[in-house]
């Protein structure tokens, strides 16, 4: 794989086993050699793409299309069933609410734990701590368990950590949909600074305005497969048109 690319996927697939009844899991364990009690569900199938270093790429698609599955594989929290995925560089991610944080730890303890997972030493975190806390702006709640946080407070802290550790690749899954308008604007400005610094960003959102404003290219996932790859303007336009057609059909 060429170092020109931050992420390369070839024939990527993720399959899950589904069971119609709870007892079928035990039957599969005991007698699965002779009879299948499960069925395959392909969350992703035959997905291939390249993302160059410094690119900002939007990921769009309906709920359940496979977007989050793809992003979790890029982050290394899921393994592909088949195909190959190469990711070059340190990855920081904002995935579903609560991911990567221990709810019983305080916000401060979670800052150090998350940064350590990303490969930072305690001294490096100490050097960045003022910036992290200032950006999150959650006051004395930093010393309280994360389980006491509102969804907006949690996302403020998670976003601050992920964007302060100088990642090579930043993965954002609907993070800007949580929180107030002022923090969303502050977050948007920080993403733009990371973009200007040449960081690679994968940005998943249902806001076509945000995708078009932030991203140079976009990837449209539908039913676990790549429907379209192209400029952000072209992909968001085509995807938006498909939503209108689908809505008209159901009406």
């Amino acid at each position: 794989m060429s170092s020109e690319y931050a992420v390369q996927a070839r024939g990527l697939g993720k399959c899950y086993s589904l069971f119609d009844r709870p007892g079928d899991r035990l039957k599969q364990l005991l007698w699965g050699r002779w009879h299948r009690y499960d069925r395959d569900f392909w969350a992703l199938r035959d997905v291939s793409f390249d993302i160059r270093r410094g690119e900002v790429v939007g990921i769009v698609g309906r709920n359940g299309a496979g977007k989050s599955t793809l992003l979790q594989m890029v982050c290394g929290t899921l393994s592909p069933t088949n195909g190959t995925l190469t990711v070059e560089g340190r990855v920081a991610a904002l995935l579903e609410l609560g991911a990567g944080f221990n709810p019983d730890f305080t916000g401060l303890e979670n800052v150090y734990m998350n940064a350590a997972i990303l490969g930072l030493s305690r001294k490096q975190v100490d050097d960045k701590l003022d910036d992290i806390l200032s950006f999150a702006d959650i006051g004395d709640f930093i010393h309280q368990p994360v389980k006491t946080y509102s969804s907006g407070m949690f996302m403020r802290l998670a976003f601050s950590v992920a964007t302060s550790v100088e990642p090579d690749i930043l993965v954002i899954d609907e993070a800007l949909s949580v929180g107030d308008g002022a923090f969303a604007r502050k977050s948007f400005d920080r993403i733009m600074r990371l973009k200007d610094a040449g960081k690679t960003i994968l940005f998943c959102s249902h806001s076509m305005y945000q995708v078009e404003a932030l991203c140079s290219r976009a990837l449209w996932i539908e039913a676990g497969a790549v429907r379209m790859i192209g400029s952000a303007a072209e992909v968001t336009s085509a995807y938006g048109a498909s939503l209108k057609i689908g809505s008209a059909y159901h009406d």
Side-chain angles (χ1 to χ4, degrees):
M1 295 288 185
S2 170
S3 59
E4 175 187 355
Y5 297 99
V7 182
Q8 290 187 287
R10 294 291 181 271
L12 203 61
K14 182 64 179 179
C15 184
Y16 294 96
S17 293
L18 299 184
F19 297 88
D20 293 326
R21 293 176 294 274
D24 288 344
R25 289 183 179 273
L26 179 59
K27 292 177 182 178
Q28 180 66 27
L29 181 65
L30 295 174
W31 302 299
R33 290 178 58 188
W34 301 280
H35 180 78
R36 284 196 66 176
Y37 295 90
D38 63 339
R39 52 191 169 85
D40 291 339
F41 170 73
W42 287 89
L44 286 178
R45 176 171 268 171
D46 197 27
V47 171
S48 298
F49 60 87
D50 297 319
I51 298 177
R52 289 183 170 83
R53 294 182 184 278
E55 267 198 303
V56 183
V57 177
I59 312 291
V60 303
R62 300 170 189 265
N63 288 332
K67 306 183 303 297
S68 293
T69 299
L70 174 61
L71 294 180
Q72 287 179 61
M73 285 197 281
V74 170
C75 295
T77 57
L78 278 181
S79 299
T81 303
N82 53 29
T84 60
L85 177 66
T86 301
V87 180
E88 298 283 349
R90 175 190 290 160
V91 180
L94 287 163
L95 300 175
E96 67 270 14
L97 197 64
F101 273 52
N102 186 317
D104 293 318
F105 288 5
T106 68
L108 189 60
E109 289 168 337
N110 272 292
V111 168
Y112 280 95
M113 182 182 73
N114 264 257
I117 290 171
L118 291 168
L120 272 68
S121 67
R122 187 173 185 88
K123 184 180 185 308
Q124 287 175 309
V125 181
D126 289 341
D127 292 341
K128 298 175 183 294
L129 189 59
D130 287 344
D131 179 59
I132 292 171
L133 300 186
S134 174
F135 190 88
D137 193 23
I138 61 172
D140 290 339
F141 276 96
I142 194 66
H143 300 294
Q144 299 301 318
V146 166
K147 63 185 177 184
T148 65
Y149 289 11
S150 67
S151 59
M153 288 170 62
F154 169 84
M155 189 50 67
R156 291 164 82 99
L157 184 59
F159 185 92
S160 183
V161 174
T163 56
S164 296
V165 298
E166 299 177 5
D168 300 304
I169 302 169
L170 178 64
V171 176
I172 303 173
D173 190 358
E174 284 298 325
L176 301 189
S177 64
V178 179
D180 57 40
F183 187 75
R185 286 191 295 274
K186 189 163 72 166
S187 301
F188 194 87
D189 290 342
R190 176 164 282 198
I191 293 171
M192 292 300 290
R193 286 201 296 274
L194 289 170
K195 176 182 177 180
D196 293 340
K199 304 298 183 181
T200 304
I201 301 173
L202 277 67
F203 181 74
C204 178
S205 178
H206 287 293
S207 168
M208 295 303 99
Y209 168 77
Q210 289 181 346
V211 171
E212 193 169 349
L214 273 175
C215 307
S216 54
R217 287 199 303 145
L219 175 66
W220 175 7
I221 302 287
E222 184 167 281
V226 176
R227 172 74 178 270
M228 183 178 180
I229 303 177
S231 72
E234 291 172 341
V235 173
T236 54
S237 177
Y239 174 62
S242 78
L243 293 179
K244 292 176 184 176
I245 292 171
S247 175
Y249 175 80
H250 289 296
D251 289 344

